[in-house]
Amino acid sequence: MSMRNRRQGQTSKHHGQSSRTPQGDADGSWVPRDAVGILLVSGDPYLQEEAKRIIAAAGGSLRTAIDVAEAVHGWDNADVVLVGSDIRELPPRRRAPTVLLGKASEGDGLWRLAAALGAERVAVLPEAAAWLAEHLSMSGSPDPGGTVIGVIGGSGGAGATTTAIWLAQAAAGHGVSTVLIDGDRWGGGLELAVTADEIPGLRWPDFAETRGSIDPSQFRDSLPVAGGFAFLSWPGTREPAHIPAAGAVAAVVDAARRSFELVLVDIGRSAEGLGTLAWDCDRILLLSKAHLKCAVAAARVLNELPPVDVGLLVRGTGATSVDAPLISESLGLPLLGVLPEMRGVASGAERGRLLELGRRKPISRLAGSVLELNSVLELNGAIQ
């Protein structure tokens, strides 16, 4: 299935905010080391000055065009194209910009504009100065990082968390380096469903003070592991938890992408998850129970998802159920599979024993099939 890559790299929604100003450190460690061939398309004086300051500190080459008409001839020859938030349309038959530059006062409108323009990432200045410099320094890297797949329930009790755990378990079982991210801070802690043991490692509150990028190796080594995959969970306790800012959340997802081949995100259905984590996904799996009311609810969730490819999973069938292909047709989504009704799932989630159920053949077969159908990774025929 063709998947549209919609990575929203940024300081406030993909990379962490930096406490540094765009003056750079004395050793120049934050400035791009080889930032050349950069085109900025913007008539906004503030964005022009910020971009010039970041790139000039490293001796990089920046060409500025105040509008699309002026930029059109050099657009495709540039190594990196930066577009300011004052630009509302692109020249015909030109590649999408690499980064959309904007200001914090523009709010969520920046991400809507980025989606409309097809921008790969968003940088909010001046907070994003350090991240933008680092991103430009790595812009020549051929490695785009791992695949990020979101899992979201169309209604309460659809089984998104359970499904995400089983997908992570299946991928890890076939040698794919995998991390599962708990994107629902209201869900009580994904870790309680993964395991009954207290496994050492960092949880979301440990990233509350994160600023800037996170080292991928340190991130990978800091996470708890169960079932062969790493996971990042909200604490399964009643104590108040420090909540990372949007920039810290974005930095975590970026570090996960650079650390693992597959990143599975249990998005949750809150506005918080839909407005941030969903936009970091390359593709999304939408779950619906096989009942009319649940299918209607799934349609409403679908309308809130970002413009990435979405596939459908239907949970359970029975005499009173709506036919899964009918739900698929009504939603206009490809049906990736039907989750079989299994005894013990609810109690397994309560007792941290979902991994035991995930080893059952119907579940492992379905999880493998879903990963293969979504072209998550080349598994060399390992998933049957």
Side-chain angles (χ1 to χ4, degrees):
M1 179 168 75
S2 173
M3 292 295 176
R4 185 180 179 185
N5 186 354
R6 178 70 64 193
R7 293 183 186 167
Q8 292 299 105
Q10 69 265 351
T11 53
S12 61
K13 288 201 178 185
H14 189 79
H15 287 264
Q17 294 179 348
S18 173
S19 59
R20 298 173 184 168
T21 62
Q23 303 299 322
D25 292 341
D27 63 0
S29 60
W30 65 270
V31 296
R33 295 181 294 277
D34 190 22
V36 296
I38 301 170
L39 170 65
L40 170 66
V41 187
S42 176
D44 187 303
Y46 173 77
L47 296 179
Q48 289 180 358
E49 288 304 313
E50 287 296 299
K52 288 177 183 178
R53 187 178 304 173
I54 294 168
I55 296 165
S61 172
L62 174 68
R63 173 174 169 260
T64 301
I66 63 172
D67 55 30
V68 166
E70 185 178 326
V72 65
H73 295 298
W75 190 288
D76 285 336
N77 292 329
D79 294 326
V80 176
V81 178
L82 310 177
V83 171
S85 56
D86 56 311
I87 303 299
R88 297 293 165 168
E89 59 182 33
L90 303 182
R93 303 178 66 84
R94 295 300 190 275
R95 76 177 195 264
T98 308
V99 182
L100 174 70
L101 304 185
K103 294 168 276 191
S105 60
E106 295 172 290
D108 288 343
L110 282 176
W111 282 269
R112 290 191 290 270
L113 178 59
L117 298 179
E120 296 177 6
R121 300 173 185 269
V122 175
V124 183
L125 297 177
E127 293 89 347
W131 172 82
L132 179 60
E134 181 184 5
H135 175 71
L136 293 175
S137 72
M138 299 187 297
S139 61
S141 172
D143 182 12
T147 299
V148 180
I149 296 181
V151 183
I152 187 169
S155 62
T161 298
T162 298
T163 301
I165 291 171
W166 286 341
L167 289 174
Q169 183 180 18
H174 287 87
V176 180
S177 63
T178 303
V179 62
L180 173 59
I181 294 179
D182 182 358
D184 184 8
R185 65 185 177 95
W186 305 107
L190 177 147
E191 64 181 347
L192 296 180
V194 172
T195 176
D197 300 324
E198 293 187 11
I199 302 177
L202 299 185
R203 270 64 174 176
W204 269 117
D206 296 308
F207 294 94
E209 303 301 321
T210 296
R211 297 292 184 272
S213 296
I214 301 171
D215 180 82
S217 297
Q218 293 180 0
F219 176 77
R220 183 178 59 248
D221 294 341
S222 73
L223 299 179
V225 176
F229 59 89
F231 63 91
L232 176 62
S233 175
W234 285 97
T237 64
R238 298 176 58 184
E239 286 73 22
H242 295 289
I243 300 171
V249 173
V252 165
V253 177
D254 180 65
R257 188 190 287 276
R258 291 186 288 149
S259 306
F260 296 90
E261 295 172 284
L262 175 61
V263 181
L264 286 160
V265 182
D266 180 14
I267 297 174
R269 292 183 299 117
S270 68
E272 181 180 26
L274 287 168
T276 55
L277 289 169
W279 285 86
D280 283 307
C281 296
D282 300 315
R283 59 207 63 163
I284 292 175
L285 305 179
L286 175 64
L287 277 81
S288 174
K289 290 191 279 188
H291 299 285
L292 177 60
K293 184 178 178 181
C294 299
V296 172
R300 292 175 179 170
V301 172
L302 179 62
N303 290 334
E304 300 298 319
L305 296 181
V308 299
D309 283 343
V310 181
L312 176 69
L313 284 171
V314 175
R315 176 184 168 190
T317 57
T320 61
S321 298
V322 178
D323 184 60
L326 180 59
I327 297 175
S328 171
E329 182 180 357
S330 66
L331 294 177
L333 297 177
L335 179 62
L336 304 182
V338 176
L339 286 165
E341 287 289 355
M342 295 182 60
R343 295 177 59 183
V345 173
S347 62
E350 285 291 315
R351 296 156 60 187
R353 298 181 60 182
L354 285 181
L355 294 179
E356 295 179 20
L357 297 176
R359 300 188 189 102
R360 296 182 181 179
K361 288 185 179 180
I363 297 301
S364 60
R365 280 197 299 264
L366 176 66
S369 176
V370 169
L371 294 178
E372 187 175 37
L373 285 170
N374 281 276
S375 303
V376 174
L377 292 164
E378 294 296 329
L379 298 183
N380 300 317
I383 296 180
Q384 301 299 325

